[in-house]
Amino acid sequence: MQKSLNQVHLYPDGNAFYLKNKLAEKLGLSSANLILGNGSNEIIEFVGHALIAPESEVVVSQYCFAVYPIVTHLFGGKLVTVPAKAYGHDLEECWRL
């Protein structure tokens, strides 16, 4: 703690520059190929920014993760809910849509 006191006033690096560079080096990737977030909700929101336009259809199972409908609504997408089959995803029904 004593060692870190001289940096406590600094704002954390939101892009995780050093971590991304180390991970990229270890994985043999460019750091531009890595996206880090504060949990899965933030990553799902990033996907929403990239892929959901107003009126885009987002197909989910009736038992989907609660964030999917929220992010779909956030970007003006149309949520299409497929009833579950034996409490699981009915992939055959998804393909019929």
Side-chain angles (χ1 to χ4, degrees):
M1 287 178 55
Q2 190 70 30
K3 183 179 172 185
S4 298
L5 277 177
N6 65 340
Q7 296 181 8
V8 77
H9 67 286
L10 299 175
Y11 199 78
D13 173 18
N15 193 34
F17 177 81
Y18 296 106
L19 175 60
K20 282 173 76 173
N21 284 333
K22 287 285 187 184
L23 282 171
E25 182 181 323
K26 181 174 181 68
L27 298 171
L29 302 169
S30 165
S31 63
N33 294 110
L34 297 173
I35 296 176
L36 304 178
N38 294 312
S40 61
N41 291 11
E42 186 174 34
I43 300 297
I44 293 166
E45 184 180 339
F46 291 160
V47 171
H49 278 284
L51 300 177
I52 302 174
E55 299 304 315
S56 294
E57 289 188 343
V58 177
V59 180
V60 299
S61 168
Q62 77 183 83
Y63 300 119
C64 72
F65 185 41
V67 174
Y68 298 154
I70 293 168
V71 169
T72 301
H73 179 73
L74 178 66
F75 295 104
K78 179 183 172 194
L79 190 70
V80 178
T81 304
V82 175
K85 184 176 182 180
Y87 299 101
H89 298 294
D90 188 352
L91 296 178
E92 291 175 10
E93 183 61 27
C94 290
W95 287 113
R96 285 188 212 123
L97 297 176

mmCIF file of all heavy atoms in Angstrom, residues 49-82:
data_model
loop_
_atom_site.group_PDB
_atom_site.id
_atom_site.type_symbol
_atom_site.label_atom_id
_atom_site.label_comp_id
_atom_site.label_asym_id
_atom_site.label_seq_id
_atom_site.Cartn_x
_atom_site.Cartn_y
_atom_site.Cartn_z
ATOM 1 N N HIS A 49 -23.873 -1.922 -29.664
ATOM 2 C CA HIS A 49 -23.412 -0.738 -30.405
ATOM 3 C C HIS A 49 -23.010 -1.107 -31.828
ATOM 4 O O HIS A 49 -23.284 -0.372 -32.774
ATOM 5 C CB HIS A 49 -22.203 -0.096 -29.707
ATOM 6 C CG HIS A 49 -22.544 0.807 -28.580
ATOM 7 N ND1 HIS A 49 -23.045 2.071 -28.760
ATOM 8 C CD2 HIS A 49 -22.442 0.620 -27.234
ATOM 9 C CE1 HIS A 49 -23.240 2.637 -27.578
ATOM 10 N NE2 HIS A 49 -22.884 1.772 -26.637
ATOM 11 N N ALA A 50 -22.349 -2.238 -31.960
ATOM 12 C CA ALA A 50 -21.808 -2.641 -33.264
ATOM 13 C C ALA A 50 -22.853 -3.247 -34.190
ATOM 14 O O ALA A 50 -22.773 -3.069 -35.406
ATOM 15 C CB ALA A 50 -20.662 -3.638 -33.064
ATOM 16 N N LEU A 51 -23.837 -3.955 -33.647
ATOM 17 C CA LEU A 51 -24.699 -4.774 -34.501
ATOM 18 C C LEU A 51 -26.182 -4.440 -34.503
ATOM 19 O O LEU A 51 -26.890 -4.837 -35.427
ATOM 20 C CB LEU A 51 -24.537 -6.250 -34.120
ATOM 21 C CG LEU A 51 -23.133 -6.834 -34.248
ATOM 22 C CD1 LEU A 51 -23.121 -8.273 -33.755
ATOM 23 C CD2 LEU A 51 -22.654 -6.749 -35.682
ATOM 24 N N ILE A 52 -26.685 -3.764 -33.490
ATOM 25 C CA ILE A 52 -28.126 -3.554 -33.410
ATOM 26 C C ILE A 52 -28.470 -2.141 -33.885
ATOM 27 O O ILE A 52 -28.129 -1.161 -33.245
ATOM 28 C CB ILE A 52 -28.666 -3.771 -31.983
ATOM 29 C CG1 ILE A 52 -28.341 -5.184 -31.494
ATOM 30 C CG2 ILE A 52 -30.176 -3.528 -31.946
ATOM 31 C CD1 ILE A 52 -28.705 -5.435 -30.041
ATOM 32 N N ALA A 53 -29.138 -2.095 -35.021
ATOM 33 C CA ALA A 53 -29.661 -0.835 -35.545
ATOM 34 C C ALA A 53 -31.152 -0.781 -35.216
ATOM 35 O O ALA A 53 -31.761 -1.814 -34.908
ATOM 36 C CB ALA A 53 -29.446 -0.773 -37.057
ATOM 37 N N PRO A 54 -31.764 0.405 -35.275
ATOM 38 C CA PRO A 54 -33.206 0.462 -35.039
ATOM 39 C C PRO A 54 -33.943 -0.522 -35.957
ATOM 40 O O PRO A 54 -33.639 -0.631 -37.137
ATOM 41 C CB PRO A 54 -33.560 1.911 -35.379
ATOM 42 C CG PRO A 54 -32.298 2.669 -35.058
ATOM 43 C CD PRO A 54 -31.183 1.730 -35.473
ATOM 44 N N GLU A 55 -34.866 -1.248 -35.361
ATOM 45 C CA GLU A 55 -35.688 -2.252 -36.047
ATOM 46 C C GLU A 55 -34.948 -3.545 -36.396
ATOM 47 O O GLU A 55 -35.520 -4.432 -37.016
ATOM 48 C CB GLU A 55 -36.377 -1.670 -37.291
ATOM 49 C CG GLU A 55 -37.313 -0.523 -36.983
ATOM 50 C CD GLU A 55 -38.406 -0.855 -35.961
ATOM 51 O OE1 GLU A 55 -39.033 -1.925 -36.060
ATOM 52 O OE2 GLU A 55 -38.611 -0.051 -35.043
ATOM 53 N N SER A 56 -33.671 -3.679 -36.016
ATOM 54 C CA SER A 56 -32.981 -4.964 -36.195
ATOM 55 C C SER A 56 -33.674 -6.001 -35.322
ATOM 56 O O SER A 56 -34.121 -5.697 -34.220
ATOM 57 C CB SER A 56 -31.521 -4.881 -35.727
ATOM 58 O OG SER A 56 -30.773 -4.032 -36.520
ATOM 59 N N GLU A 57 -33.759 -7.222 -35.816
ATOM 60 C CA GLU A 57 -34.351 -8.287 -35.019
ATOM 61 C C GLU A 57 -33.265 -9.013 -34.233
ATOM 62 O O GLU A 57 -32.229 -9.373 -34.784
ATOM 63 C CB GLU A 57 -35.092 -9.278 -35.911
ATOM 64 C CG GLU A 57 -36.366 -8.714 -36.495
ATOM 65 C CD GLU A 57 -37.190 -9.749 -37.224
ATOM 66 O OE1 GLU A 57 -36.656 -10.827 -37.563
ATOM 67 O OE2 GLU A 57 -38.379 -9.474 -37.456
ATOM 68 N N VAL A 58 -33.526 -9.206 -32.956
ATOM 69 C CA VAL A 58 -32.627 -9.951 -32.081
ATOM 70 C C VAL A 58 -33.419 -11.145 -31.567
ATOM 71 O O VAL A 58 -34.433 -10.985 -30.894
ATOM 72 C CB VAL A 58 -32.128 -9.076 -30.911
ATOM 73 C CG1 VAL A 58 -31.257 -9.880 -29.963
ATOM 74 C CG2 VAL A 58 -31.397 -7.844 -31.433
ATOM 75 N N VAL A 59 -32.977 -12.341 -31.918
ATOM 76 C CA VAL A 59 -33.686 -13.567 -31.555
ATOM 77 C C VAL A 59 -33.091 -14.130 -30.273
ATOM 78 O O VAL A 59 -31.881 -14.334 -30.180
ATOM 79 C CB VAL A 59 -33.590 -14.614 -32.693
ATOM 80 C CG1 VAL A 59 -34.321 -15.896 -32.311
ATOM 81 C CG2 VAL A 59 -34.137 -14.040 -33.994
ATOM 82 N N VAL A 60 -33.972 -14.372 -29.291
ATOM 83 C CA VAL A 60 -33.539 -14.913 -28.002
ATOM 84 C C VAL A 60 -34.488 -16.020 -27.567
ATOM 85 O O VAL A 60 -35.626 -16.097 -28.025
ATOM 86 C CB VAL A 60 -33.499 -13.826 -26.900
ATOM 87 C CG1 VAL A 60 -32.517 -12.722 -27.237
ATOM 88 C CG2 VAL A 60 -34.879 -13.254 -26.633
ATOM 89 N N SER A 61 -34.012 -16.857 -26.674
ATOM 90 C CA SER A 61 -34.854 -17.861 -26.034
ATOM 91 C C SER A 61 -35.685 -17.178 -24.951
ATOM 92 O O SER A 61 -35.275 -16.159 -24.390
ATOM 93 C CB SER A 61 -33.976 -18.939 -25.394
ATOM 94 O OG SER A 61 -34.748 -19.766 -24.553
ATOM 95 N N GLN A 62 -36.814 -17.763 -24.631
ATOM 96 C CA GLN A 62 -37.645 -17.171 -23.577
ATOM 97 C C GLN A 62 -36.921 -17.138 -22.236
ATOM 98 O O GLN A 62 -37.281 -16.366 -21.358
ATOM 99 C CB GLN A 62 -38.978 -17.901 -23.462
ATOM 100 C CG GLN A 62 -38.916 -19.236 -22.736
ATOM 101 C CD GLN A 62 -40.249 -19.942 -22.711
ATOM 102 O OE1 GLN A 62 -40.596 -20.602 -23.660
ATOM 103 N NE2 GLN A 62 -40.994 -19.796 -21.638
ATOM 104 N N TYR A 63 -35.898 -17.955 -22.066
ATOM 105 C CA TYR A 63 -35.136 -17.966 -20.813
ATOM 106 C C TYR A 63 -33.751 -17.341 -20.986
ATOM 107 O O TYR A 63 -32.800 -17.722 -20.332
ATOM 108 C CB TYR A 63 -34.986 -19.397 -20.290
ATOM 109 C CG TYR A 63 -36.314 -20.059 -20.009
ATOM 110 C CD1 TYR A 63 -36.686 -21.209 -20.685
ATOM 111 C CD2 TYR A 63 -37.188 -19.532 -19.069
ATOM 112 C CE1 TYR A 63 -37.910 -21.820 -20.432
ATOM 113 C CE2 TYR A 63 -38.405 -20.129 -18.810
ATOM 114 C CZ TYR A 63 -38.766 -21.276 -19.492
ATOM 115 O OH TYR A 63 -39.962 -21.866 -19.236
ATOM 116 N N CYS A 64 -33.652 -16.360 -21.858
ATOM 117 C CA CYS A 64 -32.345 -15.752 -22.146
ATOM 118 C C CYS A 64 -31.841 -14.919 -20.970
ATOM 119 O O CYS A 64 -32.585 -14.592 -20.044
ATOM 120 C CB CYS A 64 -32.433 -14.897 -23.399
ATOM 121 S SG CYS A 64 -33.362 -13.364 -23.178
ATOM 122 N N PHE A 65 -30.585 -14.551 -21.056
ATOM 123 C CA PHE A 65 -29.957 -13.650 -20.092
ATOM 124 C C PHE A 65 -30.718 -12.325 -20.113
ATOM 125 O O PHE A 65 -31.031 -11.787 -21.178
ATOM 126 C CB PHE A 65 -28.497 -13.462 -20.498
ATOM 127 C CG PHE A 65 -27.659 -12.655 -19.559
ATOM 128 C CD1 PHE A 65 -27.757 -12.799 -18.188
ATOM 129 C CD2 PHE A 65 -26.740 -11.751 -20.055
ATOM 130 C CE1 PHE A 65 -26.963 -12.063 -17.323
ATOM 131 C CE2 PHE A 65 -25.929 -11.004 -19.206
ATOM 132 C CZ PHE A 65 -26.052 -11.164 -17.845
ATOM 133 N N ALA A 66 -31.045 -11.793 -18.960
ATOM 134 C CA ALA A 66 -31.893 -10.603 -18.844
ATOM 135 C C ALA A 66 -31.340 -9.378 -19.569
ATOM 136 O O ALA A 66 -32.104 -8.482 -19.946
ATOM 137 C CB ALA A 66 -32.107 -10.273 -17.368
ATOM 138 N N VAL A 67 -30.046 -9.325 -19.791
ATOM 139 C CA VAL A 67 -29.445 -8.144 -20.417
ATOM 140 C C VAL A 67 -29.751 -8.081 -21.917
ATOM 141 O O VAL A 67 -29.801 -7.003 -22.493
ATOM 142 C CB VAL A 67 -27.925 -8.105 -20.145
ATOM 143 C CG1 VAL A 67 -27.247 -6.979 -20.888
ATOM 144 C CG2 VAL A 67 -27.685 -7.952 -18.653
ATOM 145 N N TYR A 68 -29.994 -9.235 -22.565
ATOM 146 C CA TYR A 68 -30.256 -9.219 -24.014
ATOM 147 C C TYR A 68 -31.463 -8.352 -24.372
ATOM 148 O O TYR A 68 -31.369 -7.499 -25.261
ATOM 149 C CB TYR A 68 -30.426 -10.629 -24.567
ATOM 150 C CG TYR A 68 -29.219 -11.524 -24.437
ATOM 151 C CD1 TYR A 68 -29.366 -12.893 -24.378
ATOM 152 C CD2 TYR A 68 -27.925 -11.013 -24.368
ATOM 153 C CE1 TYR A 68 -28.270 -13.743 -24.263
ATOM 154 C CE2 TYR A 68 -26.822 -11.847 -24.240
ATOM 155 C CZ TYR A 68 -27.006 -13.205 -24.197
ATOM 156 O OH TYR A 68 -25.919 -14.033 -24.080
ATOM 157 N N PRO A 69 -32.610 -8.514 -23.719
ATOM 158 C CA PRO A 69 -33.739 -7.633 -24.047
ATOM 159 C C PRO A 69 -33.467 -6.165 -23.723
ATOM 160 O O PRO A 69 -33.893 -5.274 -24.459
ATOM 161 C CB PRO A 69 -34.888 -8.166 -23.183
ATOM 162 C CG PRO A 69 -34.511 -9.560 -22.849
ATOM 163 C CD PRO A 69 -33.009 -9.586 -22.807
ATOM 164 N N ILE A 70 -32.749 -5.918 -22.648
ATOM 165 C CA ILE A 70 -32.440 -4.538 -22.255
ATOM 166 C C ILE A 70 -31.590 -3.862 -23.326
ATOM 167 O O ILE A 70 -31.876 -2.737 -23.755
ATOM 168 C CB ILE A 70 -31.742 -4.510 -20.880
ATOM 169 C CG1 ILE A 70 -32.697 -4.975 -19.789
ATOM 170 C CG2 ILE A 70 -31.186 -3.121 -20.569
ATOM 171 C CD1 ILE A 70 -32.040 -5.270 -18.451
ATOM 172 N N VAL A 71 -30.538 -4.532 -23.768
ATOM 173 C CA VAL A 71 -29.646 -3.956 -24.775
ATOM 174 C C VAL A 71 -30.376 -3.822 -26.110
ATOM 175 O O VAL A 71 -30.209 -2.832 -26.824
ATOM 176 C CB VAL A 71 -28.345 -4.781 -24.903
ATOM 177 C CG1 VAL A 71 -27.544 -4.374 -26.111
ATOM 178 C CG2 VAL A 71 -27.513 -4.623 -23.642
ATOM 179 N N THR A 72 -31.210 -4.791 -26.443
ATOM 180 C CA THR A 72 -31.992 -4.699 -27.682
ATOM 181 C C THR A 72 -32.869 -3.462 -27.653
ATOM 182 O O THR A 72 -32.907 -2.688 -28.617
ATOM 183 C CB THR A 72 -32.858 -5.969 -27.862
ATOM 184 O OG1 THR A 72 -32.005 -7.111 -27.899
ATOM 185 C CG2 THR A 72 -33.675 -5.899 -29.137
ATOM 186 N N HIS A 73 -33.558 -3.249 -26.551
ATOM 187 C CA HIS A 73 -34.411 -2.061 -26.405
ATOM 188 C C HIS A 73 -33.583 -0.775 -26.450
ATOM 189 O O HIS A 73 -33.991 0.209 -27.067
ATOM 190 C CB HIS A 73 -35.195 -2.152 -25.094
ATOM 191 C CG HIS A 73 -36.076 -0.991 -24.831
ATOM 192 N ND1 HIS A 73 -37.245 -0.763 -25.517
ATOM 193 C CD2 HIS A 73 -35.945 0.039 -23.962
ATOM 194 C CE1 HIS A 73 -37.798 0.355 -25.088
ATOM 195 N NE2 HIS A 73 -37.027 0.851 -24.140
ATOM 196 N N LEU A 74 -32.438 -0.790 -25.812
ATOM 197 C CA LEU A 74 -31.565 0.384 -25.760
ATOM 198 C C LEU A 74 -31.226 0.903 -27.155
ATOM 199 O O LEU A 74 -31.174 2.112 -27.384
ATOM 200 C CB LEU A 74 -30.279 0.029 -25.004
ATOM 201 C CG LEU A 74 -29.208 1.101 -24.869
ATOM 202 C CD1 LEU A 74 -29.699 2.247 -24.005
ATOM 203 C CD2 LEU A 74 -27.947 0.499 -24.282
ATOM 204 N N PHE A 75 -31.025 -0.020 -28.099
ATOM 205 C CA PHE A 75 -30.630 0.377 -29.448
ATOM 206 C C PHE A 75 -31.788 0.361 -30.440
ATOM 207 O O PHE A 75 -31.577 0.482 -31.643
ATOM 208 C CB PHE A 75 -29.475 -0.497 -29.935
ATOM 209 C CG PHE A 75 -28.239 -0.283 -29.122
ATOM 210 C CD1 PHE A 75 -27.835 -1.208 -28.186
ATOM 211 C CD2 PHE A 75 -27.495 0.885 -29.256
ATOM 212 C CE1 PHE A 75 -26.709 -0.995 -27.407
ATOM 213 C CE2 PHE A 75 -26.376 1.115 -28.486
ATOM 214 C CZ PHE A 75 -25.984 0.176 -27.549
ATOM 215 N N GLY A 76 -33.003 0.201 -29.951
ATOM 216 C CA GLY A 76 -34.172 0.275 -30.816
ATOM 217 C C GLY A 76 -34.422 -0.977 -31.626
ATOM 218 O O GLY A 76 -35.156 -0.932 -32.612
ATOM 219 N N GLY A 77 -33.829 -2.083 -31.223
ATOM 220 C CA GLY A 77 -34.043 -3.337 -31.938
ATOM 221 C C GLY A 77 -35.378 -3.960 -31.579
ATOM 222 O O GLY A 77 -36.053 -3.554 -30.632
ATOM 223 N N LYS A 78 -35.762 -4.942 -32.371
ATOM 224 C CA LYS A 78 -37.003 -5.675 -32.137
ATOM 225 C C LYS A 78 -36.653 -7.035 -31.550
ATOM 226 O O LYS A 78 -35.965 -7.828 -32.187
ATOM 227 C CB LYS A 78 -37.739 -5.845 -33.462
ATOM 228 C CG LYS A 78 -39.029 -6.616 -33.338
ATOM 229 C CD LYS A 78 -39.674 -6.818 -34.702
ATOM 230 C CE LYS A 78 -40.860 -7.762 -34.547
ATOM 231 N NZ LYS A 78 -41.318 -8.258 -35.835
ATOM 232 N N LEU A 79 -37.131 -7.291 -30.352
ATOM 233 C CA LEU A 79 -36.847 -8.553 -29.678
ATOM 234 C C LEU A 79 -37.817 -9.624 -30.177
ATOM 235 O O LEU A 79 -39.032 -9.433 -30.176
ATOM 236 C CB LEU A 79 -36.993 -8.395 -28.165
ATOM 237 C CG LEU A 79 -36.495 -9.555 -27.336
ATOM 238 C CD1 LEU A 79 -34.962 -9.633 -27.396
ATOM 239 C CD2 LEU A 79 -36.944 -9.415 -25.898
ATOM 240 N N VAL A 80 -37.267 -10.738 -30.630
ATOM 241 C CA VAL A 80 -38.058 -11.881 -31.075
ATOM 242 C C VAL A 80 -37.752 -13.024 -30.107
ATOM 243 O O VAL A 80 -36.629 -13.513 -30.060
ATOM 244 C CB VAL A 80 -37.694 -12.292 -32.525
ATOM 245 C CG1 VAL A 80 -38.498 -13.518 -32.944
ATOM 246 C CG2 VAL A 80 -37.900 -11.127 -33.485
ATOM 247 N N THR A 81 -38.748 -13.401 -29.331
ATOM 248 C CA THR A 81 -38.554 -14.424 -28.311
ATOM 249 C C THR A 81 -39.067 -15.770 -28.822
ATOM 250 O O THR A 81 -40.220 -15.882 -29.239
ATOM 251 C CB THR A 81 -39.287 -14.039 -27.014
ATOM 252 O OG1 THR A 81 -38.828 -12.751 -26.602
ATOM 253 C CG2 THR A 81 -39.023 -15.043 -25.914
ATOM 254 N N VAL A 82 -38.213 -16.761 -28.781
ATOM 255 C CA VAL A 82 -38.554 -18.116 -29.216
ATOM 256 C C VAL A 82 -38.861 -18.938 -27.967
ATOM 257 O O VAL A 82 -38.043 -18.979 -27.046
ATOM 258 C CB VAL A 82 -37.380 -18.748 -30.005
ATOM 259 C CG1 VAL A 82 -37.694 -20.193 -30.358
ATOM 260 C CG2 VAL A 82 -37.074 -17.932 -31.240
#
